[in-house]
Amino acid sequence: MPRMPTPARIAIGGFQHETNTFAPYTAPFEEFVKTDSWPGLAQGDAIFSVMSGMNIPVAGFIEAAKRDQHQLIPMLWCSAEPCSYVTTDAFERVVEMFCNKLREMRDLDAVYLDLHGAMVVEDFEDGEGELLQRVRAIVGPEMPVIISLDLHANVTEAMVENATAITVFRTYPHLDMAETGARAYDLLAVALAGSKIVGGMRKIPFLFPLTSQCTDQEPCRSIYQDIVGAGQASPGCLVTEFAAGFPPADIYECGAAVLAYGTDPIALDLLLDECFKRVMNAESLFVDALMLPDEAVVQAVGSTSSQPVVLADVQDNSGAGGTSDTTGLLAALVSNQAQGAVMAVMHDPEVAALAHSLGEGAEFDASLGGNNGPAGVSPFKGRFVVEALADGNFRFTGDMYKDLPAELGPMALLRIVDQNSDVRVIVGSERVQCLDLAIFRHLGVEPEAQRILAVKSSVHFRADFDPIAAETLVVAAAGVSSCQLAKLTYKHLRPGVRLEPSGFTTKAKSDQM
Ligand SMILES: [Zn+2]
């Protein structure tokens, strides 16, 4: 007879990082402790109080688990803004906290972990695989261990081997984070009811950039519908998933994958083949219309619409490890005499602090941003007027972050003094992806009243900005959240992976943009 614990004791927690190995900063422990655009490290019951109602997987899991009155045992949850390698010290400290808590638990029935799936640690390539191996070593081979992953997960064999089942976000912009956590609970409920869950993965042998992964556009809109639909239509299958991958990670198992979990191994095998073929058949459709900064600004300046043109500075997205301080698009706005243009968010804590010390109305000379590369990027030197100051404490209002509280430190709205252009820039003390209109409003800028909005974001901005935009132009200014993958020099990627759809497998030697 299948065992059916009522109520079950389920350990829950989360550890999130998306590692861009081409980015300049590492992620020390402190980055996981502090609050930024996501909550800081939460332990024990604080997970319930902090996460409640948020569009974050663990919150969706908790809400779904309530209906069955299981006992949830909160361990810890933490995340850091995407950047380069997680330090070994940070990884070991966080994982030891998980493992200590698991070792202390008695009569545990299951584990749920809210992970990203693209964590690279200084000492090893697969952070989540390593974490799951250590969790398995404590809880044993039979206990259900369910994980949810970001759509940008680079899913590895070690994750598949050590997790009972994996479920993945299905939207980019990620509107379904909490929903994915709830789906993870549904999988866990099946396992707790005694069913043996099996599953597998097929890796996709080509990389495609973030800008071609948007699920509101083709080819991903149809791919996700078809892959999810195929699983739903198949008896013996619980979920079919497509992780689009996080390409700027120079690791062996970088890239997209399809996954399937259920109770019928033969049906799942056929489904995996079908889902793999569905993605492969669309390979040539993963194309991007990247524009050069001057070309995009000239087109935006020529717009006759009463609505703003959105310029997406896609390669300087802090949400993909970008430094959020490159200056190529800002310089193009000024040199092409843009009017009514506002850029957000330029990360420069020193200039933000200087603006606060001088006060609103002050005029000053400064070198803004451009402090962290890549090659060819330099600070924007100019004269600025402080138009507005803010403390960085506000709530997001868009569908992705909903009511999430932000703690971004001192921020400033600066006007660039130039007789031919009308360009303003929001300067911040924390790297934050400009994915929500609330960032502009926090500095007193009404987005719909501007002619041009320049946002440092790859795709997430679309949920909040596309509805008010006359048009959206995708701009390839320099930055480390590269969307031109053939220009990156991969040293660890497994052989035979094409660096772009239908492209070459040879490793490009050209410099990185
Ligand atoms: Zn993501």
Side-chain angles (χ1 to χ4, degrees):
M1 282 290 287
R3 193 170 69 102
M4 194 176 303
T6 311
R9 285 167 54 80
I10 306 167
I12 63 168
F15 185 20
Q16 294 241 2
H17 194 257
E18 182 183 72
T19 306
N20 178 335
T21 62
F22 300 96
Y25 321 110
T26 56
F29 182 68
E30 298 70 39
E31 287 292 311
F32 290 93
V33 173
K34 76 177 187 192
T35 301
D36 43 35
S37 57
W38 271 29
L41 190 146
Q43 292 199 67
D45 287 344
I47 294 178
F48 298 134
S49 53
V50 171
M51 304 294 175
S52 176
M54 287 185 178
N55 184 24
I56 287 181
V58 72
F61 183 94
I62 292 167
E63 196 57 36
K66 273 184 193 165
R67 69 172 184 248
D68 291 335
Q69 281 130 28
H70 290 310
Q71 185 184 353
L72 300 182
I73 309 162
M75 297 185 287
L76 71 146
W77 185 98
C78 61
S79 77
E81 184 73 359
C83 60
S84 193
Y85 298 92
V86 173
T87 65
T88 300
D89 171 70
F91 181 82
E92 294 297 343
R93 284 166 76 176
V94 172
V95 170
E96 203 44 32
M97 290 159 86
F98 273 111
C99 290
N100 282 339
K101 287 177 191 291
L102 281 173
R103 284 187 204 103
E104 287 164 8
M105 289 179 196
R106 296 285 169 267
D107 304 321
L108 194 62
D109 295 298
V111 178
Y112 163 67
L113 293 174
D114 168 8
L115 307 175
H116 185 291
M119 182 189 296
V120 188
V121 184
E122 284 171 324
D123 283 356
F124 36 82
E125 291 191 346
D126 178 10
E128 287 87 353
E130 181 71 21
L131 166 64
L132 288 163
Q133 280 171 5
R134 296 191 200 180
V135 167
R136 243 331 147 207
I138 296 168
V139 303
E142 300 301 328
M143 186 178 294
V145 176
I146 307 289
I147 64 171
S148 57
L149 297 177
D150 191 283
L151 175 141
H152 299 111
N154 291 321
V155 188
T156 66
E157 293 292 346
M159 293 182 214
V160 173
E161 199 173 306
N162 289 285
T164 307
I166 298 173
T167 188
V168 184
F169 302 169
R170 294 165 175 177
T171 60
Y172 183 29
H174 301 331
L175 304 182
D176 66 332
M177 293 188 279
E179 193 180 314
T180 303
R183 194 164 59 247
Y185 174 72
D186 292 341
L187 289 167
L188 190 49
V190 172
L192 286 172
S195 293
K196 169 91 176 150
I197 298 181
V198 293
M201 168 174 73
R202 303 269 194 279
K203 290 290 284 191
I204 304 298
F206 64 90
L207 304 182
F208 46 99
L210 297 182
T211 39
S212 66
Q213 297 181 0
C214 179
T215 56
D216 295 330
Q217 299 172 337
E218 297 301 344
C220 279
R221 177 168 38 199
S222 300
I223 288 175
Y224 275 87
Q225 279 171 4
D226 291 350
I227 285 181
V228 171
Q232 287 168 343
S234 174
C237 177
L238 296 165
V239 289
T240 34
E241 306 286 2
F242 176 40
F246 185 63
D250 185 13
I251 60 169
Y252 188 81
E253 291 177 271
C254 180
V258 293
L259 298 115
Y261 287 94
T263 52
D264 179 347
I266 295 167
L268 293 173
D269 212 43
L270 292 171
L271 264 176
L272 281 170
D273 287 342
E274 183 185 332
C275 295
F276 178 81
K277 274 188 209 142
R278 177 65 186 84
V279 179
M280 295 305 291
N281 288 341
E283 179 170 354
S284 64
L285 304 177
F286 286 91
V287 286
D288 265 337
L290 297 177
M291 297 177 79
L292 293 170
D294 285 336
E295 182 189 5
V297 173
V298 166
Q299 184 167 328
V301 166
S303 169
T304 54
S305 172
S306 59
Q307 294 175 283
V309 175
V310 173
L311 301 181
D313 196 356
V314 295
Q315 298 196 122
D316 193 29
N317 168 14
S318 70
T323 60
S324 201
D325 79 335
T326 68
T327 52
L329 181 54
L330 185 65
L333 286 166
V334 175
S335 65
N336 290 291
Q337 303 180 4
Q339 307 296 317
V342 190
M343 167 175 270
V345 175
M346 180 69 76
H347 178 234
D348 194 325
E350 286 182 16
V351 171
L354 179 60
H356 276 255
S357 71
L358 295 171
E360 287 181 8
E363 200 167 316
F364 66 103
D365 294 317
S367 293
L368 177 65
N371 295 313
N372 299 287
V377 171
S378 56
F380 180 92
K381 292 186 164 77
R383 191 159 182 81
F384 302 90
V385 176
V386 182
E387 284 211 342
L389 298 169
D391 62 10
N393 296 326
F394 63 95
R395 284 185 179 269
F396 292 104
T397 53
D399 285 345
M400 184 170 153
Y401 278 1
K402 292 189 172 158
D403 202 28
L404 207 73
E407 289 182 25
L408 302 176
M411 302 181 80
L413 173 67
L414 305 181
R415 176 178 294 282
I416 296 170
V417 178
D418 177 64
Q419 58 185 6
N420 297 317
S421 64
D422 167 20
V423 178
R424 295 184 290 172
V425 55
I426 293 173
V427 180
S429 300
E430 290 284 349
R431 286 187 309 125
V432 60
Q433 180 173 183
C434 188
L435 52 70
D436 195 297
L437 295 169
I439 293 175
F440 284 91
R441 292 186 178 127
H442 184 54
L443 274 299
V445 176
E446 183 45 55
E448 292 180 69
Q450 311 310 312
R451 290 186 49 76
I452 298 175
L453 297 171
V455 295
K456 288 183 178 290
S457 172
S458 302
V459 168
H460 284 323
F461 72 94
R462 288 182 179 277
D464 222 17
F465 288 77
D466 273 359
I468 67 157
E471 62 179 333
T472 295
L473 306 179
V474 179
V475 187
V480 295
S481 62
S482 181
C483 295
Q484 297 166 302
L485 306 175
K487 292 193 171 188
L488 298 179
T489 304
Y490 290 89
K491 294 181 182 148
H492 306 291
L493 188 59
R494 65 197 180 281
V497 176
R498 293 183 284 287
L499 299 184
E500 56 189 20
S502 310
F504 298 105
T505 56
T506 46
K507 294 176 174 69
K509 291 277 186 284
S510 53
D511 54 7
Q512 173 187 326
M513 268 190 79

